[in-house]
DNA sequence: CGGACCTTTGACGTATATCAAATGGTGTGG
DNA sequence: CCACACCATTTGATATACGTCAAAGGTCCG
């Protein structure tokens, strides 16, 4: 069996995993134990939680984050419907990041005995999970590049593009716009800038006609220009 | 088989993998194909490289990084002897990050047919690799927290602590100090600050007696105080 | 209709960047 | 073994992107 037979090996020219691997999705459906709903604002998982479960997101948006002792919060990623969360956590005794619902969130809990067991009994599924995790690590590294090297204007552009592309790939676009329940405070915490500066930067990009955020929805107006501003990575 | 039997499930209370999993090390030794040496400054791997190999570092230090088109560089991690590199890359067509030798670097090339094949034929080894990758992802997230939320002073403190702890865990400490071939430019590129500011910050921490860098070696003087400055994460 | 939360705007402060140049190591070749 | 060349470190002066503080609108929902 080669990665190509699996149709799982990721093509770097297509920067994101377009959709959730269908076979993996199928596996998750079959192992679904129960569905859970968290209201907006609820904490789904807290750093340090013992043996957190493995979830697949059915509906709603969430954030994954880490905090410092004095309360400063870094959002690591935005979680959209279709995302699998808590796979990495299976390798640790405790959850290493926290997750909070941004909107009401529906999750289905995936059951399996144990992560090591999965590797023994279902190596193909384990492989698919691993490919997903590899892509998530890549996303973290992209974020690191963004926050470390890009200016606030570039970061905001890159974030808007990223969220838009992910949502679009999941067929969340309707009437030319995607849901956008993200607040300016979220943008600030994800990009390491202040709320006020996030506001001014978003404002400026919108004044220049690159996109429009209105009524919790995002309409992309000039993706090419936005990419220009964002400064693409080398590859 | 449970993670505990494997002694691989990672304990969050011990923030880092102390040493390379011995069984994995053994596997790598047995699959060693050839040894390669790169001189200081050489590019070991370049973003975009097709089907990059899997390496284990025998000797020397390296950096893993990504760049923007205009040349800005973000160092993602420092690679020390004992580290395995290129595992994640196996899931992609092309390398997603670049690697450069800081000192002369000795690598051994690990052979196996194919990553998917490894999952089928050696699920236990695949599991150990995955645990390693999970830990690397955790490190990336820690970095993200650092760069996004910490001040320059806190970032430098956290980086010095991190490198020191990793080197110490690998028994690289001799006569109370560890090798430290990292330049101030490296520190700047890893933390998203300017060279000049990296210098002033390193200087200040040393003036306050927290550590000492001299002759490409680092001597830790007051780890507790440094941790204080660095602002630990919540957990 | 009130309250909670989010967005927007102005004024001002500061951490960090940039520019420029001197100083200090270190390895190599004469 | 010296001396040059190259690179890393250090320091001062000045600039700016971004943060903080404060307060005024919006918007949504009970």
């Amino acid at each position: 069996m080669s990665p190509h037979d699996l149709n799982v090996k990721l093509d770097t020219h297509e920067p994101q995993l377009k959709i959730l691997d269908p076979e993996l999705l199928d596996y998750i459906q079959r192992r679904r134990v129960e569905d859970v709903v968290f209201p907006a604002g609820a904490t789904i998982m807290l750093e340090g939680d013992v043996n957190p479960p493995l979830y697949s997101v059915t509906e709603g948006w969430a954030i994954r984050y880490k905090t410092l002792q004095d309360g400063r919060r870094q959002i690591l990623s935005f979680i959209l419907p279709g995302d699998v969360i808590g796979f990495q956590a299976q390798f640790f005794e405790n959850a290493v990041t926290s997750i909070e619902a941004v909107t009401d969130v529906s999750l289905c809990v995936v059951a399996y005995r144990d992560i090591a067991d999965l590797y023994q009994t279902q190596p193909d599924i384990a492989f698919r999970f691993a490919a997903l995790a590899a892509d998530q690590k890549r996303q973290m590294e992209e974020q690191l590049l963004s926050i470390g090297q890009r200016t606030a204007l570039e970061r905001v552009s890159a974030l808007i593009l990223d969220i838009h592309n992910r949502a679009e790939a999941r067929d969340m676009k309707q009437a030319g716009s995607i849901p956008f329940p993200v607040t300016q405070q979220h943008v600030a915490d994800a990009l390491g800038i202040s709320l006020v500066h996030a506001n001014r930067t978003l404002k400026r990009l919108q004044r220049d006609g690159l996109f429009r955020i209105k009524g919790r929805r995002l309409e992309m107006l000039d993706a090419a220009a936005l990419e220009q501003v964002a400064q693409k990575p080398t590859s």
Side-chain angles (χ1 to χ4, degrees), chain A:
Chain A
M1 182 177 68
S2 102
H4 287 290
D5 296 340
L6 279 173
N7 190 28
V8 163
K9 193 149 184 177
L10 309 172
D11 185 348
T12 319
H13 299 301
E14 295 294 335
Q16 321 264 4
L17 266 181
K18 280 296 182 201
I19 45 160
L20 191 57
D21 175 359
E23 297 239 356
L24 189 53
L25 199 60
D26 183 56
Y27 170 82
I28 287 171
Q29 289 303 322
R30 279 185 285 107
R31 312 288 316 221
R32 168 202 299 257
V33 175
E34 56 169 335
D35 293 307
V36 205
V37 179
F38 288 89
T43 296
I44 297 174
M45 191 180 292
L46 203 57
E47 194 174 342
D49 277 1
V50 181
N51 289 129
L54 180 65
Y55 293 118
S56 154
V57 180
T58 311
E59 234 187 293
W61 291 46
I63 52 174
R64 206 165 53 85
Y65 64 95
K66 280 178 82 78
T67 54
L68 292 175
Q69 282 171 349
D70 66 2
R72 282 175 280 174
R73 172 175 78 168
Q74 176 65 38
I75 293 180
L76 303 168
S77 64
F78 292 91
I79 297 171
L80 275 58
D83 281 337
V84 175
I85 58 186
F87 175 69
Q88 179 196 16
Q90 303 303 313
F91 288 96
F92 300 91
E93 297 282 347
N94 309 82
V96 290
T97 60
S98 305
I99 299 176
E100 183 180 303
V102 170
T103 64
D104 292 352
V105 171
S106 303
L107 301 167
C108 82
V109 181
V110 183
Y112 59 92
R113 280 228 308 259
D114 181 289
I115 181 75
D117 190 59
L118 180 72
Y119 269 74
Q120 292 300 324
T121 59
Q122 301 258 252
D124 55 322
I125 296 296
F127 176 76
R128 290 163 194 281
F129 271 120
L132 219 54
D135 192 56
Q136 284 172 21
K137 184 181 167 206
R138 190 193 53 68
Q139 280 179 245
M140 290 302 96
E141 292 170 346
E142 198 105 16
Q143 269 291 105
L144 210 39
L145 173 64
S146 214
I147 298 191
Q149 302 300 323
R150 290 198 247 240
T151 66
L153 192 70
E154 294 164 353
R155 287 181 220 181
V156 170
S157 302
L159 178 64
I160 294 294
L161 270 171
D162 181 57
I163 292 183
H164 177 263
N165 291 342
R166 286 176 61 204
E168 198 175 28
R170 286 153 209 238
D171 291 320
M172 297 172 75
K173 184 173 269 186
Q174 282 177 19
S177 69
I178 62 158
F180 194 77
V182 175
T183 68
Q184 295 184 354
Q185 183 67 65
H186 287 136
V187 172
D189 287 351
L191 300 181
I193 61 182
S194 70
L195 168 61
V196 173
H197 202 59
N199 174 273
R200 295 198 219 273
T201 309
L202 281 164
K203 208 87 202 302
R204 173 165 162 203
L205 289 167
Q206 290 180 82
R207 175 169 48 67
D208 294 350
L210 302 194
F211 58 87
R212 183 162 33 200
I213 294 171
K214 195 147 189 246
R216 315 268 101 165
R217 296 191 69 84
L218 164 68
E219 182 181 3
M220 180 61 65
L221 298 176
D222 192 343
L226 208 52
E227 279 174 14
Q228 194 74 19
V229 176
Q231 289 265 15
K232 276 300 192 57
T234 304
S235 80

